[in-house]
Amino acid sequence: MSLKKIHLRKLLTLMFAENSKQISMLRGDIRDEIRKQAGEKSEGGDFHVPFWRDAKGHVNGEKYLGVSVAERIATNKRRERLYPELRDGFLDWWDNKRRWTNEASKSEMLAVKGAIEFPELGCTVKVENLLALAIGNSKNRIIYPYFSEDPPLGADAARLGLWAIMSSVGKYSPEEFRILDVIRGQSFAPSDVPLNGQEKSDFVKLYASILARSEKLREEYEPA
């Protein structure tokens, strides 16, 4: 996916990755874009989408996530290492750490999604594939997944992520949003990482830095 139109979770990974990983990710994106421009097909869909679909199914009581993950791995051995980590992290959060375990909940499977335009950068950040839950009769939880193995989702990344999610998705109250580091089974609410009013400025600064680095790296791939 182009840096000019990118999923929030990938952008957060880029923003907070160590230098070497950020460069490696950017180089991979540049090579992918060059292949697409040459008419070559991409390698398929998002690695994490089938897992997250199964996690939603688990929430709804449709099928146990452990069974679903085993079936996913059987059909694609590329999932053999990370899918169990995603499974264990999600189940730890769902069974032990979420803060509404005593209240009935169901996944509404609502089409909750949004996007943020950054005209100063000529970019769009997509916020999609959220898990929308109705809790009891009066509350909701709108959960955005962060899948990256490295880096972990720290407080600063969670704060910027929550700002982006809340800015892109209307209708719901701020306290209903969560961003979930799936592998580590840790969720962040606005009360955990309070916004300080500098989020947009911080976000744009980090995003602009990534774009500049990508343009610099791209020069290495230009014909002499």
Side-chain angles (χ1 to χ4, degrees):
M1 177 176 288
S2 166
L3 291 176
K4 294 284 188 176
K5 191 172 185 180
I6 188 171
H7 284 292
L8 174 62
R9 61 181 64 91
K10 181 172 181 179
L11 184 55
L12 288 174
T13 301
L14 279 165
M15 284 177 169
F16 291 92
E18 291 188 357
N19 186 61
S20 59
K21 176 164 185 176
Q22 187 186 87
I23 291 173
S24 177
M25 289 179 68
L26 291 174
R27 288 187 188 279
D29 280 352
I30 292 167
R31 290 192 294 267
D32 284 345
E33 197 167 326
I34 290 171
R35 283 195 290 267
K36 288 178 183 177
Q37 290 171 352
E40 299 179 25
K41 293 183 179 179
S42 63
E43 295 184 356
D46 191 321
F47 175 83
H48 302 97
V49 165
F51 169 82
W52 193 237
R53 186 180 302 120
D54 292 339
K56 290 180 179 181
H58 180 90
V59 168
N60 277 342
E62 296 166 4
K63 195 169 190 179
Y64 177 60
L65 186 59
V67 173
S68 301
V69 165
E71 290 174 350
R72 296 289 186 186
I73 291 171
T75 62
N76 187 340
K77 292 300 182 182
R78 288 180 56 244
R79 300 167 175 156
E80 195 165 23
R81 186 175 68 84
L82 281 181
Y83 266 43
E85 293 188 30
L86 292 163
R87 173 201 63 205
D88 293 347
F90 183 85
L91 290 177
D92 182 36
W93 172 74
W94 182 253
D95 292 336
N96 304 316
K97 295 178 180 177
R98 63 189 169 99
R99 300 170 193 172
W100 67 92
T101 54
N102 295 324
E103 298 183 72
S105 63
K106 63 179 180 178
S107 170
E108 291 289 324
M109 294 301 180
L110 301 175
V112 179
K113 64 180 181 178
I116 313 176
E117 302 291 338
F118 293 94
E120 64 269 54
L121 301 175
C123 295
T124 302
V125 176
K126 300 167 69 176
V127 181
E128 298 180 348
N129 209 0
L130 295 97
L131 171 60
L133 299 173
I135 310 300
N137 296 318
S138 60
K139 293 184 291 185
N140 300 295
R141 288 292 178 267
I142 311 300
I143 301 156
Y144 185 80
Y146 174 87
F147 297 116
S148 291
E149 182 181 23
D150 178 49
L153 188 69
D156 285 339
R159 178 175 57 85
L160 294 186
L162 282 167
W163 168 81
I165 296 162
M166 291 187 290
S167 297
S168 68
V169 180
K171 181 180 176 180
Y172 302 97
S173 301
E175 62 269 18
E176 295 184 308
F177 289 95
R178 301 289 186 273
I179 185 168
L180 174 64
D181 185 337
V182 178
I183 286 180
R184 280 152 283 271
Q186 181 178 11
S187 65
F188 294 85
S191 59
D192 299 317
V193 285
L195 275 59
N196 59 26
Q198 298 299 312
E199 282 73 29
K200 182 174 183 180
S201 174
D202 293 344
F203 198 100
V204 169
K205 182 178 179 180
L206 287 170
Y207 198 174
S209 175
I210 289 167
L211 292 169
R213 169 166 267 185
S214 178
E215 286 302 312
K216 185 66 176 175
L217 289 170
R218 185 178 292 277
E219 294 175 3
E220 300 176 15
Y221 296 85
E222 297 293 336

